[in-house]
Amino acid sequence: MAGSTRTEHDLLGDHEVPADVYYGVHTVRACENFPISGVPISRHRDLVIALASVKQAAAEANRELGLLDGEIAAAIVAACTEIRGGALHDQFVVDEIQGGAGTSTNMNANEVIANRALELLGHDRGTYRVVHPLEHVNLGQSTNDVYPTAVKVALGMACRSLEHALRGLVEHCSAKAVEFADMLKLGRTQLQDAVPMTLGQEFGAFAVTIGEDADRLGEAMALIAEINLGGTAIGTGLNTHPEYAALVCSRLRAITGLPLTTAGNLVEATSDVGAFVQLSGVTKRTAVKLSKICNDLRLLSSGPRAGFGEINLPAVQAGSSIMPGKVNPVIPEMVNQVAFEVIGNDLTVTMAAEAGQLQLNAFEPIIARALLSSLTHLTAAVNVLGRRCVEGITANAERMHNAVLQSASIATALNPVLGYEAATALVAEAIATGASIPELVRRSALVDEAVLARMLSPENLCRPNDFPA
């Protein structure tokens, strides 16, 4: 180990630690054991903040119960407050993929907080006889209640961000629904011409479906608000004060602003990861539906001349290194790819949840990685989709209107007067001759002109109406 070092000791013996770092021997060993993804836990900002929040809540609860010296508790709280504010995140260096059910992450947090607390008390890093990572920072705790609690806190924060992003996208789509309210176009089923609608109705439907997903996300957030902090190793609460679980939850709720509650059965809560599975499923649902919407945007904007060409997506970058003037739907394509990642992450969560054994699921680190990545990436994708795509969409109203007039599918509106068989014959003739439905109806004098005009009006074509007399 190059450079100045300090010597630390654990159950395996002595090990050198860089003198200028805040982490210690347990973290160093974890880095040696798990050079897997190359992504440190510090990449997940919410998780680092959540870890500091849990440690702060524990220190405050233990101080109030008379189990932790006031001066030491104050230093731990101060260190945690700094970390929650963004300090020392670069010291959270263990890989996001790790064995040990999150022990490496918990140890990393304990050591960083202890060494910063030592500094605040005027001592050198590594002077653990004064503030010890396990005796003081980890007092009354186990990885098995700290780690899942921190993950749930981090997910709660990440869910809030995604819900806010989804609500913003709803507003963008709703604004377009108003802007395009009177623009007639063809609806399509199975990529074939269907009955007319307005472009406003299409964007209004986008807004509703996105809003529904934001609501479902809120419901999933309620499930992850139940924590097992205070259960220690397997949920029996060994080595904790009888009042600790309720008190530490209260402190953590105040620190995070999340509606956290202590699980009614801590043994069950320590082994069960069903809330993660539920949240992953809701996140996947959201991703799938957003991807479908982006598929629609790509189809509706295809062309610009040889495709649907009904809408224009904002041009945000050149689309080809060889074809001059080509512009691609890169924002929707990005959202599609994030959705594919989320769908894959959901399978990872499913398999990891199923693999748990007896009183603990050892695979929560990969669950945390999958869920935090899904929520973070999806939030960013939704924000970009709203700001750099949907907000700037314009419509080709004349092209859409002409397509409606030329479409044989508007014969459906004549069913109440002509009947299905006669309308079908009109469609067949229109397709064979290239004539429009209104033109054929006028030639055959099947319907009075005033009735025809009323039946083919945008109001009748796009909204429920009484049968014309």
Side-chain angles (χ1 to χ4, degrees), residues 47-65:
L47 180 57
V48 174
I49 293 173
L51 287 163
S53 299
V54 170
K55 296 299 178 179
Q56 179 177 337
E60 291 178 356
N62 284 319
R63 175 175 57 189
E64 183 168 336
L65 294 169

Side-chain angles (χ1 to χ4, degrees), residues 244-332:
Y244 172 77
L247 184 56
V248 75
C249 182
S250 174
R251 290 290 178 269
L252 188 58
R253 187 165 53 244
I255 290 167
T256 63
L258 295 171
L260 304 170
T261 60
T262 301
N265 186 312
L266 292 177
V267 173
E268 184 276 338
T270 302
S271 62
D272 178 55
V273 293
F276 296 143
V277 176
Q278 174 78 3
L279 176 58
S280 183
V282 170
T283 306
K284 180 183 76 170
R285 165 191 158 132
T286 302
V288 168
K289 292 172 68 176
L290 284 170
S291 190
K292 186 270 179 189
I293 289 171
C294 285
N295 291 340
D296 291 348
L297 295 178
R298 291 192 296 117
L299 280 171
L300 295 174
S301 65
S302 60
R305 296 190 176 180
F308 285 18
E310 294 185 352
I311 63 174
N312 310 298
L313 305 184
V316 295
Q317 65 183 65
S320 175
S321 61
I322 188 173
M323 292 176 278
K326 189 172 187 289
V327 176
N328 295 327
V330 293
I331 303 300

Side-chain angles (χ1 to χ4, degrees), residues 41 59 176 183 290 303 388 412 418 433 443:
I41 58 172
K176 290 298 169 182
M183 295 185 183
L290 284 170
R388 297 190 62 78
T412 304
L418 299 180
T433 65
R443 283 184 199 170

Side-chain angles (χ1 to χ4, degrees), residues 195 408-429 437 446 455 467:
V195 297
S409 67
I410 61 172
T412 304
L414 303 177
N415 279 350
V417 172
L418 299 180
Y420 185 86
E421 294 295 334
T424 299
L426 281 176
V427 171
E429 185 178 356
I437 294 295
L446 291 172
M455 295 183 72
F467 287 178

